[in-house]
Amino acid sequence: MFNDCDDDFRTGEQLLAEWGCANRQERLERAALALREQINEFDAVPEQEDTVEASVRAMMSQLDRLHVEQKNQSLAGSIDDQEVFCSCSDAYRMGAAALNS
């Protein structure tokens, strides 16, 4: 189990709804902000692409790499694991939900 906060597990959909995201663009932008914030916590520079969607994809991959390197936990491999709920996994799930909307 990896848990760095006291919050309960929430899906990406639930997390985005908490922010009041009404459409796909708002969902992508909110996910991008969450991903950037978590990547900055690793003292890394978030990857940026030409579109918000492409940036979300790139930052999800980058955050997963950083999380594996520094915490030995794959975010991609535990996206539905209710025992893994940390701020990084929240951001990762938000990105996945935004891309699938």
Side-chain angles (χ1 to χ4, degrees), residues 16 24-36 39 46-64 91-100:
L16 290 168
R24 187 170 194 269
Q25 187 62 32
E26 288 178 1
R27 294 163 63 89
L28 287 167
E29 289 171 2
R30 180 62 212 150
L33 287 172
L35 289 160
R36 265 188 221 101
I39 291 167
E47 296 178 8
Q48 296 296 305
E49 299 293 333
D50 292 339
T51 66
V52 176
E53 182 175 341
S55 291
V56 166
R57 289 182 193 284
M59 286 188 288
M60 285 177 68
S61 177
Q62 181 183 15
L63 183 58
D64 189 46
Y92 192 89
R93 284 194 304 276
M94 288 171 67
L99 291 171
N100 290 328

Side-chain angles (χ1 to χ4, degrees), residues 18-89:
E18 289 175 13
W19 285 97
C21 300
N23 58 51
R24 187 170 194 269
Q25 187 62 32
E26 288 178 1
R27 294 163 63 89
L28 287 167
E29 289 171 2
R30 180 62 212 150
L33 287 172
L35 289 160
R36 265 188 221 101
E37 182 178 312
Q38 293 309 308
I39 291 167
N40 285 333
E41 290 291 319
F42 286 101
D43 293 325
V45 177
E47 296 178 8
Q48 296 296 305
E49 299 293 333
D50 292 339
T51 66
V52 176
E53 182 175 341
S55 291
V56 166
R57 289 182 193 284
M59 286 188 288
M60 285 177 68
S61 177
Q62 181 183 15
L63 183 58
D64 189 46
R65 277 192 318 273
L66 290 166
H67 209 263
V68 168
E69 289 170 6
Q70 296 186 24
K71 299 189 179 191
N72 297 317
Q73 174 73 48
S74 170
L75 298 171
S78 59
I79 195 165
D80 294 321
D81 185 345
Q82 294 192 14
E83 296 296 315
V84 178
F85 53 98
C86 61
S87 52
C88 290
S89 65

